[in-house]
Amino acid sequence: MDIDKDEAKRIAELARLGLDDDDAKRLAEEMAAILECFRALREADVEGVLPWIAPVAGSAPERPDIVEKSRAGKNALDGAPDRAGRHFRVPRVIG
Amino acid sequence: MAESPFDIVIGLEVHARLLTESKIFCPCANRFGEEPNSLVCPVCLGMPGVLPVLNHRAVDLAVRAALALDGRIRPVSVFARKNYFYPDLPKGYQISQFDRPFCEGGAVPLPDGSKIELIRIHLEEDAGKLLHPEGDDGHSLVDLNRCGDPLIEIVTAPVITSPEEAYLFLVGLKEILLYAGVSDCNMEEGSLRCDANLSLRPRGETKLGTKTELKNLNSFSAVRAALRWEATRQERTLLDGKKVNHETLLWNAETKEASPMRTKEEAHDYRYFPEPDLPPLVIDPSRIDSIRATLPELPGPKRERFMKEYGVRRYDAEVLTSSAELADYYEKVAARFPDRALAAAFLTGTFLRYLSEDDTAPGLAPVGPGALARLLSLVRDETISLSAAKKVFDVLWKEGGEPAEVVDRLALRQISDEGEVEKLVVSVIDENAPQVEQFLGGKEKVFGFLVGAAMKKSGGRANPSVLGEALRAALEKRRGGRRA
Ligand SMILES: [Zn+2]
């Protein structure tokens, strides 16, 4: 897949990053170079090979269903740029 | 309304919150209604460097739901990141399942014997809750207590053919989830949420039309109303020769109208990829077997058994099995009392009315199945009438006590003694001479009046059949005496 300036801008928008034209051009080239490296992998014969999901074998470890209290909420509110009582206050996205 | 030239095609996505103590990937409490942002930790706040660890019970409950819905459990399923930026999601992605969900297939039976097929069920975490306070237009308030609560998402195939069928599906699904004990399905608390999509296609066409999505459906009746509204809107659009736009609509339960959600279209590009922080979920066959072994009898089979075992009508069986608790209550009464039809009638009528008036559950009802069985036995052996039984029930419900003792205290014992009824009949005939004359003159209707008068005189306690017979016998005797 080729990455041009418009594609770079679309990806940036999904990530909520602001790019000017020069940034977009430079990033498009860098991303294209990265994808070029992956293209080499396409040469490999993966017929019958299951997709690789995780670097460890076995199932996801599971923890017992036990509640633990955390003070993180208070700390996070204290550190938030804006709050209203016990709520975080953020710019409205829709509505 | 003329028959529509279109077929309706509906698909539903239902989110059910699992009944765990803690969240799906962290040990914060999974609880509704607490102080905002009090049930959060670095994991569900999306702090850098934290790792999710899967809740064992969330997996058990999800498997339980899948088995109750007759789905196929995938031995190895994969968590995936669903990426989007929104203030209710501090990590910037939701951990969900994408191309390899833990369950595929499944179905919900409908009352008419048909089935709504499911495509899949997957596990995921909930997002936080946003408030948009009035008077603070540029801002939203965020509560992350819900963020990370364990959900299953149940996705139907696009096979539902009417808003009514969608409604019945939801009722049936909720019954099964409640029976299986996997979710409390409380819609006011957001434990059960439903999104719908709807498209129309010319009758007989197999290709699907352009669908719209409906959100903000806060009750089953809202789902039905919104789908009806949207089907009508799409039909008008198509008949006008216009096209239906693929869009998301928000239902407004007050105005009973939907309006397009204002959102950026690229938000739909979720760029799913396998969650690198979680290995695949491997569900062992022995785990599935042991969960299956603890599944209770489900509503469908229970309904059939009630009809067969207790001889109750289909409608009564449906009402009695609408909750596992009510069904248990009925079975306890039926075990102690042989007239199953009377027990069914009393439970589906009086008993359910008292339950709903007090907003309580069968298991918490102040009149237990033993007391109710003893009360109904008094009706069956004609000690009291059915209407007297309702008075006694009211006292038992409000004050407690023993049925026979309440019957005596309220002097409700039915008068079945023939001598006593005879006396009643004689005095009623004496006191209503004009009506008796009318009856003897051939006005048969007056008989009802005389029965009513006698019943009233007895304080409603006369045994109706004994009374009716005695009164008719006495009147006929007079008629005969006159002829002689
Ligand atoms: Zn947490």
Side-chain angles (χ1 to χ4, degrees):
Chain A
M1 172 175 164
D2 288 329
I3 305 263
D4 58 14
K5 212 171 66 179
D6 288 342
E7 182 64 8
K9 280 194 166 169
R10 197 185 71 85
I11 293 166
E13 193 157 322
L14 285 169
R16 300 293 187 272
L17 296 172
L19 290 190
D20 62 25
D21 269 14
D22 287 348
D23 285 339
K25 192 164 167 292
R26 182 173 52 80
L27 281 167
E29 281 163 16
E30 288 180 7
M31 285 191 272
I34 293 168
L35 287 182
E36 190 53 39
C37 297
F38 280 89
R39 205 172 304 237
L41 292 173
R42 286 207 189 149
E43 306 296 317
D45 178 10
V46 292
E47 182 72 32
V49 177
L50 289 174
W52 188 78
I53 304 291
V56 291
S59 183
E62 295 176 23
R63 61 173 181 83
D65 182 25
I66 293 169
V67 173
E68 284 170 35
K69 283 212 75 134
S70 165
R71 287 182 49 80
K74 190 180 176 306
N75 295 341
L77 280 164
D78 289 344
D82 194 6
R83 61 187 283 184
R86 296 266 335 181
H87 284 99
F88 297 101
R89 186 165 176 266
V90 299
R92 192 175 293 195
V93 180
I94 54 157
Chain B
M1 204 170 88
E3 192 166 312
S4 167
F6 299 105
D7 283 331
I8 298 176
V9 181
I10 294 167
L12 297 176
E13 289 173 8
V14 180
H15 287 90
R17 188 158 62 127
L18 298 171
L19 273 173
T20 57
E21 296 293 324
S22 64
K23 293 186 179 181
I24 184 167
F25 297 123
C26 65
C28 295
N30 165 22
R31 206 180 297 140
F32 177 83
E34 298 288 315
E35 197 178 20
N37 296 303
S38 63
L39 309 177
V40 291
C41 73
V43 175
C44 54
L45 285 169
M47 294 294 167
V50 298
L51 284 174
V53 187
L54 187 57
N55 182 338
H56 182 80
R57 182 148 175 82
V59 177
D60 278 353
L61 290 174
V63 169
R64 204 172 160 77
L67 293 175
L69 292 166
D70 208 18
R72 296 183 303 276
I73 309 286
R74 188 191 269 275
V76 180
S77 64
V78 175
F79 287 100
R81 288 190 182 180
K82 178 180 180 179
N83 298 279
Y84 67 94
F85 287 95
Y86 203 60
D88 63 3
L89 196 66
K91 292 198 297 293
Y93 59 86
Q94 177 190 26
I95 303 180
S96 180
Q97 295 189 304
F98 183 51
D99 55 350
R100 274 162 284 185
F102 82 95
C103 171
E104 289 167 305
V108 171
L110 297 185
D112 67 2
S114 66
K115 275 181 179 177
I116 300 296
E117 304 286 338
L118 305 178
I119 294 178
R120 57 187 272 154
I121 307 173
H122 67 253
L123 261 168
E124 64 182 26
E125 58 177 340
D126 206 348
K129 198 171 162 55
L130 286 189
L131 299 174
H132 308 291
E134 290 195 29
D136 189 7
D137 275 353
H139 293 87
S140 300
L141 303 181
V142 188
D143 175 9
L144 297 175
N145 280 353
R146 208 175 69 180
C147 197
D149 280 354
L151 302 179
I152 46 172
E153 181 174 337
I154 299 153
V155 183
T156 75
V159 293
I160 298 171
T161 55
S162 69
E164 184 59 31
E165 202 171 71
Y167 180 86
L168 292 173
F169 165 82
L170 290 168
V171 170
L173 173 65
K174 179 178 168 183
E175 270 177 17
I176 291 173
L177 296 178
L178 284 174
Y179 262 71
V182 298
S183 173
D184 65 19
C185 296
N186 186 330
M187 289 193 91
E188 285 92 57
E189 298 184 356
S191 302
L192 198 70
R193 304 198 286 272
C194 177
D195 296 333
N197 59 70
L198 181 145
S199 64
L200 298 184
R201 61 183 172 197
R203 189 143 284 183
E205 170 72 69
T206 50
K207 215 174 126 248
L208 291 171
T210 304
K211 67 181 178 186
T212 54
E213 273 144 54
L214 286 156
K215 287 185 184 287
N216 199 34
L217 306 170
N218 293 324
S219 67
F220 290 175
S221 38
V223 173
R224 183 168 53 188
L227 287 169
R228 279 182 187 154
W229 184 90
E230 177 58 5
T232 309
R233 186 191 72 89
Q234 286 192 18
E235 183 175 327
R236 283 197 196 128
T237 305
L238 293 172
L239 288 177
D240 283 353
K242 294 181 204 146
K243 271 196 199 157
V244 171
N245 292 325
H246 180 115
E247 60 187 348
T248 299
L249 304 167
L250 285 184
W251 178 245
N252 183 327
E254 272 161 39
T255 62
K256 305 235 177 297
E257 281 180 4
S259 49
M261 195 164 115
R262 273 182 284 157
T263 180
K264 291 186 177 175
E265 266 317 298
E266 71 267 14
H268 282 295
D269 190 345
Y270 292 127
R271 294 151 292 142
Y272 282 96
F273 63 87
E275 166 58 82
D277 289 343
L278 286 166
L281 172 60
V282 178
I283 303 176
D284 202 67
S286 65
R287 185 174 187 183
I288 297 172
D289 289 343
S290 66
I291 293 170
R292 197 192 302 276
T294 64
L295 265 187
E297 184 183 27
L298 293 167
K302 199 185 278 284
R303 214 152 276 170
E304 297 302 317
R305 181 169 65 78
F306 270 35
M307 286 162 52
K308 229 170 101 189
E309 197 172 319
Y310 302 121
V312 296
R313 293 172 305 160
R314 175 170 291 275
Y315 174 78
D316 284 341
E318 275 170 19
V319 176
L320 291 171
T321 56
S322 59
S323 86
E325 231 182 284
L326 182 63
D328 283 352
Y329 190 103
Y330 176 74
E331 295 210 80
K332 284 181 185 151
V333 175
R336 296 168 168 89
F337 178 66
D339 188 342
R340 273 69 189 266
L342 176 59
F346 200 89
L347 278 193
T348 56
T350 308
F351 185 74
L352 277 188
R353 198 172 63 245
Y354 275 73
L355 278 186
S356 80
E357 275 168 13
D358 277 17
D359 195 19
T360 189
L364 301 171
V367 183
L372 185 61
R374 290 196 291 282
L375 173 62
L376 293 177
S377 299
L378 294 173
V379 177
R380 193 172 145 83
D381 68 16
E382 301 196 331
T383 306
I384 55 173
S385 67
L386 189 58
S387 62
K390 289 177 183 168
K391 287 182 198 158
V392 177
F393 183 79
D394 186 73
V395 172
L396 294 175
W397 188 278
K398 287 170 182 157
E399 301 164 21
E402 181 54 39
E405 170 232 285
V406 174
V407 166
D408 286 337
R409 180 148 55 85
L410 301 183
L412 289 172
R413 212 166 271 277
Q414 190 157 259
I415 305 167
S416 302
D417 179 78
E418 280 173 26
E420 223 171 313
V421 173
E422 206 117 325
K423 269 190 229 157
L424 200 63
V425 165
V426 169
S427 68
V428 164
I429 287 178
D430 285 348
E431 287 160 21
N432 297 280
Q435 284 82 5
V436 171
E437 280 308 314
Q438 284 173 7
F439 177 81
L440 295 177
K443 236 178 152 189
E444 181 63 26
K445 266 201 272 176
V446 182
F447 186 71
F449 168 83
L450 294 169
V451 170
M455 192 54 101
K456 197 172 167 198
K457 206 172 169 63
S458 77
R461 291 160 57 219
N463 179 321
S465 60
V466 176
L467 172 65
E469 272 172 39
L471 183 62
R472 186 161 295 274
L475 290 168
E476 291 303 330
K477 208 168 149 194
R478 288 208 169 196
R479 204 199 299 265
R482 225 173 254 195
R483 277 197 207 112

